Amino acid sequence: MTGINAKVAEQNDAKVKKLVDDMTLFDDDLMTLVFNHNIPATELLLRIILGRNIQVTDIEVQEELRSPIVGGRDITLDVHAIDVNGDEIDIEVQGSSEGAHVRRPRFHSAVIDSRMLKEGDAFKILKDSYVIFIYKHDKFGKGLPIYRADRVVLETGEPLNDGSHIIYVNGKYKGNDEIGMLMHDFNSKTSDGMYYKELAEGLHHFKETEEGRDIMCESVKKYAEEYKTEDKIETVKNLMTNMKWTLEQTLTNMGVSDRERSIITQQLQK
């Protein structure tokens, strides 16, 4: 490695370490690692948000649910949990307003529901579903810790009780209660001063131990590479459309490396 390349690598490593230092549980990479197979942390979260004890039997993080329609939109669930009753729970963390549109939880809810029944199953056996968005900001600007959206019959004001639940958690809430303490922990950059050991232990491991930081840094590097490739894929598409170039001409004119050329070609052929 030349002196220049070594310096660039050192600068990149420093940037990655700074990104890791600044991460909180509102960052997908860290949140995914902390909650992966972490039933105690998930049960804690659900107990506080739902206001009752939840016994979780299964957890999948970053689980992709593919659309049955060709060209349809897939979704990736940050944390997909199933409780002892078979109810399905999608927990999403959202740091920006771009992904927090109210129609997004509706879509998540619909996709989850569509996978619950098999051919011939009665609709009445459909389990409850919960889509929980832990939003870094106050989605509705009312200062409340939680906003629950269940269907009601407008003419009577009575709940429909169809088992579908959408919940927004206010990440800016700082009340002196369990939700306030939970949001304090979600906004924490270090484990010092965190209220809940189930979360503090995960944060400590992945940010404050050598083994955990190595995993975290690799995850950040991988994400950065994937993001860079996705950005190039969009550029390739735009150039092919606007310049009327073939894929081969576009990749050559962009000076794309052989490795990225293979990845981009595979992605475009999906």
Side-chain angles (χ1 to χ4, degrees):
M1 183 180 290
T2 66
I4 294 177
N5 288 339
K7 186 171 183 60
V8 170
E10 184 179 337
Q11 290 173 341
N12 288 338
D13 285 343
K15 289 178 182 178
V16 168
K17 290 176 182 178
K18 179 65 166 61
L19 286 172
V20 171
D21 287 340
D22 289 340
M23 279 184 168
T24 70
L25 289 172
F26 279 106
D27 293 287
D28 274 347
D29 284 328
L30 179 59
M31 192 264 195
T32 295
L33 289 171
V34 169
F35 279 85
N36 189 25
H37 303 302
N38 192 341
I39 287 180
T42 306
E43 289 181 339
L44 166 80
L45 188 75
L46 296 176
R47 178 184 64 77
I48 295 172
I49 293 173
L50 299 180
R52 56 187 173 85
N53 289 326
I54 302 289
Q55 185 178 346
V56 172
T57 59
D58 189 42
I59 300 173
E60 290 288 340
V61 296
Q62 297 301 317
E63 181 180 7
E64 185 178 32
L65 303 185
R66 301 189 67 84
S67 171
I69 302 171
V70 176
R73 177 153 188 174
D74 305 327
I75 61 172
T76 300
L77 309 185
D78 285 347
V79 179
H80 185 195
I82 299 176
D83 76 1
V84 70
N85 298 316
D87 295 344
E88 303 215 15
I89 305 162
D90 170 24
I91 305 168
E92 300 289 321
V93 292
Q94 188 63 46
S96 66
S97 60
E98 182 180 348
H101 195 283
V102 291
R103 291 178 185 253
R104 181 180 172 191
R106 169 189 163 188
F107 188 73
H108 277 230
S109 180
V111 172
I112 292 170
D113 286 350
S114 70
R115 296 162 56 91
M116 285 193 199
L117 297 181
K118 296 179 181 178
E119 184 177 357
D121 282 349
F123 290 112
K124 66 182 180 181
I125 71 170
L126 196 68
K127 299 295 185 179
D128 280 16
S129 67
Y130 296 82
V131 177
I132 300 170
F133 267 65
I134 305 175
Y135 186 34
K136 194 172 185 177
H137 305 288
D138 185 352
K139 174 64 180 176
F140 301 102
K142 304 297 182 182
L144 299 175
I146 290 178
Y147 303 94
R148 297 180 175 88
D150 285 7
R151 292 187 179 96
V152 300
V153 179
L154 295 179
E155 285 72 19
T156 66
E158 296 177 349
L160 184 60
N161 291 323
D162 64 345
S164 177
H165 311 278
I166 293 174
I167 300 170
Y168 275 92
V169 182
N170 176 6
K172 290 291 186 182
Y173 181 71
K174 297 180 180 179
N176 188 26
D177 53 17
E178 286 193 313
I179 289 288
M181 291 189 289
L182 182 66
M183 290 303 98
H184 169 274
D185 286 1
F186 260 76
N187 282 285
S188 296
K189 293 182 180 180
T190 70
S191 61
D192 289 342
M194 289 179 69
Y195 290 102
Y196 297 108
K197 67 178 181 62
E198 294 90 342
L199 303 179
E201 288 173 353
L203 197 80
H204 171 73
H205 176 69
F206 288 109
K207 293 190 66 174
E208 298 163 4
T209 70
E210 183 176 353
E211 178 188 2
R213 277 188 70 88
D214 285 345
I215 295 171
M216 193 73 256
C217 288
E218 284 303 312
S219 178
V220 171
K221 289 177 183 177
K222 181 180 178 181
Y223 173 79
E225 286 298 318
E226 289 175 351
Y227 184 85
K228 183 171 68 173
T229 300
E230 288 176 3
D231 192 48
K232 283 189 178 180
I233 289 172
E234 289 304 312
T235 301
V236 168
K237 289 179 181 177
N238 291 334
L239 286 173
M240 289 177 66
T241 300
N242 297 329
M243 302 301 293
K244 309 301 181 186
W245 289 341
T246 64
L247 175 59
E248 185 66 25
Q249 288 173 325
T250 304
L251 296 175
T252 299
N253 290 333
M254 288 177 61
V256 175
S257 67
D258 290 341
R259 177 178 175 276
E260 281 193 304
R261 183 183 292 250
S262 175
I263 294 172
I264 291 172
T265 301
Q266 289 176 10
Q267 290 295 319
L268 288 176
Q269 289 175 345
K270 283 186 176 181

